[in-house]
């Protein structure tokens, strides 16, 4: 089985102080850690598990600048066989649609029975590249997948809906799955695989191979700004005892018990 | 289970290159395993003596199977850097440093315990493992009238992260600063520009993040022409001396040394009785690693009516680690497999009213654990005890 | 002037709340553009669903067919394409839910219509569409301009518009479905309900909810004890379930349960929107978080900026005292 996983290198902003840079369109990155996007780590693991089960090859692809090769190498060390970087620097501002077209331009020439992507990137929050890519490649998709079982020619994909409900789909391959966090337990790399990965060549594809004029975007970033502060909570201050007494007063007064 | 060991010279070379050359010295005698506190836990079999041999063969974290890799990686990241093994080793192998070399490679490949990710990312982006704003780093000192260090004071007082931000540990920073003031020592703080010393993040293998801490603190110390530093944490105390090349001409002192000197010079006079039974816990980094055992004990003995007791056998160089080092503070080991539990039982058996520590990690670790084990022993930093015994 | 369309979302026979939010947003856009609002209902049976949205749109286009009984993005895509080609609306609004998530990008890519996903707000600027989105883990917002086009697709985040009661004269138009069977390559099989555990958090009056901030599984018993002591139950945000510390049926949020207790105490929860949508209906929300900038404080009534492990014992004691006085 030939499998493809699309991954993205993103700044870790969940627990960091995020500041807007002087262009107003990007963030200050020099104090941020960069890692593989969270749901992509689960997508990669799902791809590796499938490869281990059915044998075949796993190719990882990332649209990114040079640094993305570090992330691709991590994927190689964890179990991918080949890695491709699409040179983001060659294609200007990227939105989800443009990213999907770049991926399509490369993937259409590769054998693929199954494609895995994360369900959302924690930087731009678009959650659209996977589903768009499936459409551009003319293959069925299932998004927000939290379980996959393969039974002969049928893939049972379980999508996460609201309220703990799952949607059970029966699909045929080739298909694309956007993977939700928690579906599996992403693995560590072994030192032997790390050594192998360190020496592997990463294929780099840029504007010489992909005609940038054919690639359009649907949207452009106008500006970043700090979210307007809504009606914020009344912050209870003082010693712990004073805070506790305030809470006591609130629950009594409102009859919450 | 795996069968025969596969020999991988390439893995060996990579580990030696990343700083694990002490492995060569090891002859697998097993004394490290006897000394390792993890082996005080019944269910564990932490075969430390095999690490170096496996490194020499390149047969470590070398499996292709997910479960085996996970088990091996967990072992590599179990060591909390107490250096009990190093103390026992007839060949002077620094095993925690050897393991650090392995960790460095794994961390670069995003292959380390998940609970550490947030800590490392917070430390890198905000300069402290709690993710607090650097603008608030001097808040603990707001009402104490401590000046910002500007070169006219003799010392910089460096509280590091937990005492600067944590509500409980701020009290330690306050007590220390008050003692220094009382003793007439001229000092200031760096406050907002201070950055975590990075000792723990270095031990865990995140070398790039550690280097950013070194660069930050070096830049700031040079900017203010710092010559003398007092630290609250033994971890800053040690790493500033051993891992900060630019600090070679800066005098780094742990607060215990400074207070001991003040006592000898008569600048501090403990007068008020402290009528309690106190047990002193030697922090690994201050004791075993930096050789400071007597000064804290002498400080405590100078306090009227303080009854100092020892944990039998497991004291001084044989003190059992609280488990907080090398980011153990942030780890998620099962409750019945924690070093702090063993140490708590030893401390409880002394019948002490107060546990005296000289390290913020130890304080945090014991206080949390005493609560969860319902142990009614007060945890105090040595500076807090000394401060309470000073006359008005 | 081309119209504004809103796709009605329903599940197991009931209209979902996001639909009313889409209609409110749609009416705002239609008013601004001086045009009409059309709601699209693909359902089987459709009567009850049409009735639930009566008077909220100028027109309702109904396709009633068995294939629409359960959501399947492939079928919806075919049906929507059919209508969009004929009607050429200016903007089509879809919920940014598991439903719209699966549908919108594929439809936009197929038809070459510019689309924007997960939008908090939408406005026209000249002939272009500007959307507001939340980025970088919710730390910042972004204004994004869509490429100039005659038609746009937008998915709207839940909870950004408050449904308004209106009484429009609604015209109902029936159309034939262009699809009559499920495609072979993607068939809906069934829904699977999450296993019901011993605790039903949706029925509780008092909920203590924990997030990433509890640091480790070992801290759960203390939190559970706190919840029980004050007469409540323990729930959590997604990371706690992902880590395997609590079962899925304790998760509050868009992919978990929606709760409406009298008192909701959020401990160490940063307040990602996925969590907020599941608990914003609580009467009183008290949030404890060390980070004063945590988004949870935008939703909470009362905030405590402190280490939750220090706050919990104090709250437990004080709330128990209050209970005693009351009893």
């Amino acid at each position: 089985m030939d499998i493809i996983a699309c991954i993205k290198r993103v700044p870790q902003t969940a627990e960091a102080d995020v500041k807007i840079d002087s262009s107003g369109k990007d963030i200050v990155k020099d104090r941020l850690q960069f890692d593989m996007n969270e749901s992509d780590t689960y997508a990669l693991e799902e791809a590796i598990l499938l490869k281990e089960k059915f044998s075949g090859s796993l190719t990882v692809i990332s649209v990114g600048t040079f640094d993305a090769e570090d992330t691709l190498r991590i994927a190689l060390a964890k179990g991918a066989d080949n890695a491709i970087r699409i040179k983001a620097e060659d294609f200007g501002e990227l939105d989800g649609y443009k990213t999907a077209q770049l991926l399509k331009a490369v993937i259409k020439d590769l054998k693929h029975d199954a494609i895995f992507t994360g369900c959302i990137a924690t930087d731009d929050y678009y959650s659209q590249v996977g589903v768009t890519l499936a459409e551009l490649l003319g293959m069925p998709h299932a998004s927000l997948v939290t379980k996959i079982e393969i039974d002969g020619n049928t893939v049972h994909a379980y999508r996460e809906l609201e309220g703990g409900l799952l949607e059970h789909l029966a699909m045929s391959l080739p298909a694309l799955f956007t993977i939700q966090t928690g579906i599996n337990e992403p693995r560590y790399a072994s030192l032997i695989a790390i050594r192998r990965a360190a020496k592997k060549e990463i294929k780099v594809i840029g504007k010489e191979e992909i005609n940038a004029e054919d690639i359009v975007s649907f949207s452009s970033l106008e500006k970043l700004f700090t979210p307007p502060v809504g009606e914020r909570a009344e912050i209870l201050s003082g010693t712990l005892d004073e805070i506790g007494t305030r809470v006591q007063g609130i629950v009594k007064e409102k009859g919450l018990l | 289970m795996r069968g025969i060991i596969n020999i991988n010279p390439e893995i060996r070379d990579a580990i030696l290159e990343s700083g694990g050359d002490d492995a060569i010295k090891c002859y697998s005698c097993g004394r490290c395993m006897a000394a390792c506190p993890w082996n005080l836990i019944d269910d564990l079999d932490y075969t430390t003596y095999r690490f170096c041999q496996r490194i020499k063969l390149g047969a470590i974290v070398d499996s292709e199977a997910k479960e085996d890799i996970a088990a091996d990686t967990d072992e590599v990241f179990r060591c909390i850097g107490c250096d009990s093994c190093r103390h026992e080793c007839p060949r002077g192998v620094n095993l925690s440093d050897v393991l650090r070399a392995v960790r460095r490679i794994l961390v670069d490949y995003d292959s380390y315990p998940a609970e550490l990710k947030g800590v490392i990312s917070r430390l890198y982006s905000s300069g402290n493992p709690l993710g607090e704003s650097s603008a608030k780093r001097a808040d603990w000192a707001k009402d104490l009238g401590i000046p910002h260090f500007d070169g006219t004071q003799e010392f910089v007082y460096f509280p590091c992260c937990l005492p600067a931000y944590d509500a409980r540990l701020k009290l330690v920073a306050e007590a220390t600063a008050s003692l220094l003031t009382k003793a007439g020592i001229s000092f200031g703080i760096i406050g907002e520009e201070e950055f975590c010393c990075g000792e723990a993040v270095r031990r865990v293998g995140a070398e790039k993040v550690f280097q950013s801490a070194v660069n930050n603190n070096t830049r700031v110390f040079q900017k203010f022409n710092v010559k003398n530093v007092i630290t609250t944490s033994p971890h800053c105390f040690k790493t500033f001396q051993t891992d900060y090349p630019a600090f070679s001409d800066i005098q780094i002192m742990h607060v215990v040394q400074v207070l001991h000197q003040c006592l000898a010079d008569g600048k501090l006079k403990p007068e008020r009785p402290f009528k309690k039974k106190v047990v002193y816990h030697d922090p690994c980094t201050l004791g075993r690693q930096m050789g400071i055992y007597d000064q804290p004990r002498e400080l405590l003995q100078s306090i009227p009516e303080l009854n100092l007791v020892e944990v039998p056998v497991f004291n001084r160089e044989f003190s059992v680690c609280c488990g907080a080092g090398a980011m153990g503070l942030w780890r998620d080991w099962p409750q019945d497999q924690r070093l702090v539990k063993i140490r708590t039982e030893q401390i409880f058996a002394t019948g002490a009213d107060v546990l005296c520590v000289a390290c913020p990690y130890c304080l945090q670790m014991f206080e949390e654990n005493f609560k969860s084990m319902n142990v009614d022993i007060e945890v105090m930093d040595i500076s807090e005890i000394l401060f309470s015994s000073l006359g008005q | 002037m081309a119209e504004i369309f809103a796709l009605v979302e329903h599940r197991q026979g009931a209209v979902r709340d996001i639909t009313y939010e889409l209609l409110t947003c749609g009416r705002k856009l239609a008013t601004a553009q001086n045009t009409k609002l059309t709601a699209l209902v693909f359902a089987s049976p459709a009567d009850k669903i049409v009735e639930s949205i009566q008077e909220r749109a100028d027109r309702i286009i109904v396709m009633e067919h068995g294939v629409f009984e359960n959501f399947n993005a492939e079928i919806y895509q075919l049906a929507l394409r059919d209508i969009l080609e004929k009607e050429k609306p200016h903007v089509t609004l879809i919920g940014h839910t598991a439903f719209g998530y699966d549908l919108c990008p594929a439809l936009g890519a197929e038809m070459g219509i510019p689309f924007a996903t997960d939008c908090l707000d939408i406005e026209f600027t000249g002939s272009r569409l500007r959307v507001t989105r939340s980025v970088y883990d919710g730390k910042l917002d972004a204004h994004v301009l869509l490429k100039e086009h005659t038609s746009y697709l937008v998915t709207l985040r839940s909870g950004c518009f408050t449904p308004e009661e209106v009484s429009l004269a609604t015209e109902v138009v029936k159309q034939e479905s262009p699809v009559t069977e499920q495609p072979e390559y993607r068939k809906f099989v069934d829904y699977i309900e999450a296993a019901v555990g011993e605790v039903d958090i949706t029925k509780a009056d008092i909920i203590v909810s924990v997030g990433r901030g509890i640091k480790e599984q070992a801290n759960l018993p203390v939190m559970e004890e706190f919840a029980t002591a004050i007469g409540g139950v323990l729930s959590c945000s997604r990371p706690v379930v992902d880590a395997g510390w609590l079962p899925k049926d304790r998760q509050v949020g868009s992919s978990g349960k929606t709760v409406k207790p009298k008192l909701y105490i959020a401990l160490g929860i940063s307040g990602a929107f996925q969590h907020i949508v599941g608990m914003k209906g609580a009467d009183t929300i008290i949030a404890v978080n060390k980070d004063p900038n945590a988004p949870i404080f935008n939703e909470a009534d009362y905030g405590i900026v402190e280490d939750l492990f220090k706050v919990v014992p104090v709250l437990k004691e004080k709330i128990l005292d209050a209970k005693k006085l009351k009893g």
Side-chain angles (χ1 to χ4, degrees):
Chain A
M1 187 180 286
D2 295 303
I3 304 162
I4 288 172
C6 304
I7 60 174
K8 184 178 189 183
R9 178 181 173 87
V10 296
Q12 297 302 306
T13 49
E15 303 194 71
D17 221 358
V18 183
K19 294 186 190 80
I20 302 165
D21 76 2
S22 56
S23 75
K25 291 189 177 197
D26 207 343
I27 55 172
V28 180
K29 291 178 175 152
D30 56 356
R31 277 244 157 270
L32 294 174
Q33 284 266 93
F34 281 73
D35 275 317
M36 195 183 300
N37 177 49
E38 192 185 9
S39 58
D40 297 357
T41 63
Y42 292 91
L44 174 67
E45 179 64 26
E46 204 59 23
I48 297 169
L49 290 171
L50 205 63
K51 187 194 103 166
E52 285 180 342
K53 201 163 172 193
F54 295 95
S55 75
S57 76
L58 169 59
T59 301
V60 281
I61 308 182
S62 185
V63 181
T65 49
F66 180 70
D67 292 343
E69 293 187 15
D70 290 348
T71 309
L72 285 167
R73 246 177 241 294
I74 290 172
L76 287 170
K78 292 194 176 181
D81 303 291
N82 307 297
I84 300 171
R85 175 170 78 89
I86 301 175
K87 291 164 85 175
E89 63 271 29
D90 278 6
F91 300 96
E93 189 187 339
L94 296 171
D95 67 346
Y97 184 56
K98 198 164 170 183
T99 304
Q101 287 172 90
L102 290 170
L103 289 168
K104 181 220 167 180
V106 172
I107 295 173
K108 68 174 171 31
D109 300 324
L110 302 173
K111 285 209 284 182
H112 52 273
D113 299 304
I115 301 178
F116 293 89
T117 71
C119 66
I120 187 167
T122 54
D123 55 353
D124 61 31
Y125 256 69
Y126 271 121
S127 56
Q128 53 174 244
V129 170
V131 177
T132 307
L133 175 62
E135 183 64 36
L136 295 174
L137 287 166
M139 64 201 293
H141 70 268
S143 62
L144 296 164
V145 173
T146 54
K147 188 166 119 185
I148 292 178
E149 289 167 343
I150 298 194
D151 174 18
N153 293 323
T154 309
V155 181
H156 294 275
Y158 297 81
R159 299 187 59 235
E160 183 180 78
L161 307 177
E162 59 289 334
L165 199 64
L166 293 181
E167 176 185 333
H168 172 194
L169 297 170
M171 301 172 66
S172 58
L173 294 178
L176 182 145
F177 307 94
T178 85
I179 301 297
Q180 176 62 286
T181 56
I183 184 174
N184 52 38
E185 216 175 301
R187 70 187 60 202
Y188 299 138
S190 78
L191 288 171
I192 196 153
I194 286 173
R195 294 309 301 161
R196 251 195 329 256
K199 285 180 291 188
K200 248 192 196 138
E201 196 192 337
I202 291 174
K203 193 171 172 186
V204 179
I205 295 181
K207 56 176 184 275
E208 293 78 20
E209 294 86 0
I210 302 171
N211 188 351
E213 282 174 19
D214 298 342
I215 310 280
V216 297
S217 60
F218 274 161
S219 56
S220 61
L221 180 66
E222 196 176 17
K223 65 165 184 176
L224 291 174
F225 56 100
T226 310
V229 180
E231 216 177 293
R232 284 185 53 93
E234 178 195 335
I235 300 295
L236 309 178
S237 57
T239 64
L240 281 173
D241 192 68
E242 286 161 7
I243 290 171
T245 307
R246 274 298 312 277
V247 171
Q248 189 181 51
I250 292 160
V251 296
K252 268 199 281 193
E253 186 189 317
K254 297 196 171 190
L256 300 175
L257 297 176
Chain B
M1 285 300 288
R2 287 167 291 159
I4 298 161
I5 283 181
N6 289 309
I7 298 173
N8 294 293
E10 217 186 312
I11 292 183
R12 178 196 61 205
D13 294 349
I15 295 171
L16 297 186
E17 211 173 282
S18 114
D21 32 355
D22 252 23
I24 301 294
K25 294 196 249 168
C26 169
Y27 54 29
S28 306
C29 70
R31 282 178 74 163
C32 53
M33 185 163 167
C36 179
W38 286 111
N39 291 311
L40 294 171
I41 295 170
D42 229 6
D43 305 339
L44 278 178
D45 204 8
Y46 196 37
T47 52
T48 54
Y49 75 97
R50 296 198 63 208
F51 279 128
C52 291
Q53 177 68 2
R54 289 170 67 196
I55 288 169
K56 281 186 271 186
L57 296 171
I60 187 166
V61 206
D62 61 334
S63 171
E64 303 276 359
K66 183 174 174 178
E67 284 71 28
D68 290 341
I69 301 170
D72 248 17
T73 305
D74 283 345
E75 294 294 88
V76 168
F77 282 91
R78 176 179 291 282
C79 169
I80 32 70
C82 75
D83 284 9
S84 292
C85 53
R86 187 183 182 188
H87 181 260
E88 278 295 307
C89 181
R91 305 275 291 162
V93 174
N94 186 344
L95 187 58
S96 65
D97 228 33
V98 171
L99 290 173
R100 189 173 65 84
V102 183
R103 292 172 182 184
R104 279 179 66 173
I105 305 173
L106 294 172
V107 166
D108 277 349
Y109 277 80
D110 194 31
S111 296
Y112 60 102
E115 60 258 41
L116 297 179
K117 285 191 186 167
V119 193
I120 295 174
S121 134
R122 289 195 294 266
L123 203 148
Y124 188 62
S125 68
S126 50
N128 66 81
L130 306 167
E132 299 280 356
S133 150
S134 53
K136 287 162 67 182
R137 199 161 176 121
D139 280 8
W140 67 271
K142 248 191 323 209
D143 304 326
L144 301 175
I146 302 169
H148 191 285
F149 184 84
D150 57 13
T152 62
Q153 302 85 2
E154 192 184 352
F155 288 93
V156 160
Y157 170 52
F158 193 92
C160 211
C161 308
L162 293 176
Y165 292 112
D166 180 81
R168 167 67 185 92
L169 281 153
K170 273 181 188 175
L171 302 176
V172 174
E174 276 177 39
T176 305
S178 307
L179 283 171
L180 296 176
T181 307
K182 257 204 160 123
I185 288 174
S186 142
F187 73 100
I189 55 169
I190 292 199
E192 295 183 11
E193 286 182 85
E194 183 180 299
F195 203 93
C196 177
C197 72
E199 191 263 357
V201 84
R202 176 173 185 269
R203 280 194 177 273
V204 96
E207 189 65 22
K208 286 174 198 156
V209 178
F210 174 66
Q211 285 309 327
S212 87
V214 173
N215 295 341
N216 249 282
N217 285 323
T218 302
R219 182 181 51 76
V220 176
F221 278 40
Q222 284 172 347
K223 178 168 107 183
F224 293 115
N225 195 20
V226 175
K227 289 284 170 231
N228 300 290
V229 179
I230 301 169
T231 75
T232 275
S233 170
H235 297 269
C236 314
F237 174 58
K238 180 181 182 225
T239 203
F240 282 165
Q241 293 184 58
T242 56
D243 311 316
Y244 275 63
F247 281 19
S248 57
D249 58 348
I250 298 179
Q251 179 186 226
I252 312 290
M253 293 180 86
H254 186 260
V255 65
V256 159
Q257 297 174 305
V258 179
L259 296 176
H260 191 266
Q261 192 59 48
C262 291
L263 209 66
D265 296 348
K267 289 180 183 164
L268 288 176
K269 291 193 187 74
E271 284 165 355
R272 266 198 231 170
F274 191 84
K275 291 183 200 162
K276 282 176 180 168
K277 196 170 171 183
V278 177
V279 60
Y280 175 70
H281 162 81
D282 288 279
C284 304
T285 310
L286 193 64
R288 218 161 18 243
Q289 293 171 29
M290 299 304 280
I292 297 181
Y293 300 111
D294 294 328
Q295 290 164 337
R297 286 177 170 80
E298 287 165 17
L299 272 174
L300 291 170
Q301 276 159 341
S302 75
I303 296 169
E305 293 181 55
L306 185 149
N307 175 12
L308 180 65
V309 297
E310 295 284 349
V311 175
V313 186
F314 295 100
N315 60 49
R316 299 175 69 99
E317 59 266 53
F318 302 108
S319 174
V320 174
C321 181
C322 72
M327 290 202 166
L329 188 62
W330 308 92
R331 293 299 303 276
D332 192 12
W333 286 300
Q335 205 138 34
D336 55 353
Q337 286 189 10
R338 293 184 183 183
L339 297 181
V340 69
K341 218 182 144 207
I342 298 167
R343 191 58 172 168
T344 299
E345 279 161 12
Q346 294 176 343
I347 287 162
F348 184 73
T350 64
D353 311 304
V354 174
L355 167 66
C356 173
V357 295
C359 169
Y361 286 171
C362 299
L363 190 144
Q364 175 91 11
M365 204 71 178
F366 284 116
E367 214 170 68
E368 293 298 313
N369 191 59
F370 285 5
K371 262 184 251 162
S372 74
M373 285 175 73
N374 281 321
V375 171
D376 192 21
I377 298 177
E378 198 179 348
V379 188
M380 291 177 84
D381 186 82
I382 192 161
S383 59
E384 294 179 300
I385 297 180
L386 190 62
F387 185 67
S388 75
S389 78
L390 292 186
Q392 286 307 315
Chain C
M1 197 71 196
E3 288 187 22
I4 309 298
F5 278 21
L7 179 63
V8 172
E9 181 168 334
H10 55 87
R11 177 101 56 213
Q12 293 168 310
V15 170
R16 303 200 61 234
D17 290 348
I18 182 71
T19 299
Y20 302 110
E21 298 168 21
L22 294 172
L23 291 168
T24 302
C25 172
R27 229 166 47 80
K28 179 193 117 172
L29 287 177
T31 308
Q33 291 291 99
N34 198 18
T35 182
K36 287 187 169 165
L37 173 64
T38 292
L40 305 175
V41 175
F42 306 150
S44 170
D47 290 358
K48 236 182 81 191
I49 288 165
V50 170
E51 195 183 313
S52 322
I53 58 160
Q54 275 286 357
E55 302 188 349
R56 288 176 184 263
D58 300 298
R59 180 169 67 138
I60 302 175
I61 297 179
V62 185
M63 279 190 188
E64 190 167 13
H65 192 284
V67 289
F68 297 124
E69 187 184 344
N70 295 302
F71 172 75
N72 181 339
E74 300 283 348
I75 297 171
Y76 267 69
Q77 191 178 330
L78 290 167
L80 263 171
R81 189 185 67 194
D82 187 63
I83 290 187
L84 263 48
E85 276 170 355
K86 277 190 235 154
E87 300 270 342
K88 299 190 171 43
H90 198 170
V91 179
T92 302
L93 299 172
I94 302 171
H96 189 73
T97 55
F99 186 102
Y101 206 112
D102 215 32
L103 166 69
C104 169
L107 179 67
E110 183 191 17
M111 299 187 70
I113 298 178
F115 57 91
T117 45
D118 193 15
C119 300
L120 316 182
D121 200 6
I122 313 167
E123 60 178 345
F124 285 99
T125 162
S127 59
R128 290 181 78 177
L129 203 60
R130 174 191 286 136
V131 295
T132 306
R133 306 186 63 256
S134 175
V135 292
Y136 297 110
D137 288 299
K139 298 280 172 92
L140 297 177
D141 278 0
H143 274 158
V144 173
L145 278 175
L146 270 75
K147 181 183 161 186
E148 183 127 17
H149 198 272
T150 52
S151 197
Y152 300 100
L153 300 177
V154 173
T155 69
L156 200 67
R157 180 179 284 192
S158 302
C160 295
F161 284 85
T162 311
E164 285 167 15
E165 291 280 343
V166 283
S167 42
L168 303 171
T170 307
E171 175 198 7
V172 178
V173 184
K174 297 216 170 191
Q175 285 194 13
E176 283 294 307
S177 166
V179 219
T180 51
E181 56 187 35
Q182 293 207 57
E184 273 306 312
Y185 52 81
R186 175 173 161 154
K187 282 193 161 143
F188 172 87
V189 181
D190 53 8
Y191 288 122
I192 295 170
E193 298 276 355
V196 180
E198 68 262 46
V199 173
D200 184 355
I201 57 171
T202 63
K203 299 211 162 61
D205 278 339
I206 299 176
I207 291 181
V208 172
S209 205
V210 295
R212 226 186 269 270
I214 64 155
K215 290 185 199 157
E216 56 186 2
Q217 188 167 20
N219 292 322
L220 274 178
V222 179
M223 302 301 148
E224 179 109 54
E225 196 191 300
F226 170 48
T228 313
I230 64 169
V233 299
L234 187 70
S235 71
C236 64
S237 63
R238 176 168 199 115
V240 177
V241 172
D242 280 353
W245 297 347
L246 278 174
K248 184 81 182 169
D249 62 356
R250 300 282 189 110
Q251 184 190 331
V252 171
S254 56
S255 60
K257 306 274 188 199
T258 300
V259 296
K260 289 178 178 163
K262 286 203 263 178
L263 175 61
Y264 189 89
I265 303 179
L267 303 172
I269 292 177
S270 64
F273 78 92
Q274 293 94 331
H275 182 76
I276 301 289
V277 297
M279 47 67 89
K280 63 181 160 55
D283 291 346
T284 298
I285 299 167
I286 300 175
V288 183
N289 202 301
K290 268 192 311 202
D291 177 5
N293 299 318
I296 190 83
F297 292 125
N298 292 329
E299 204 52 50
D301 301 294
Y302 303 96
I304 301 170
V305 183
E306 247 302 349
D307 181 354
L308 70 96
F309 298 104
K310 301 213 160 62
V311 175
V312 164
V314 180
L315 289 190
K316 184 171 153 192
E317 188 194 313
K318 297 282 181 179
I319 295 176
L320 283 180
D321 277 357
K323 275 194 110 142
K324 266 184 231 143
L325 293 175
K326 187 189 165 209

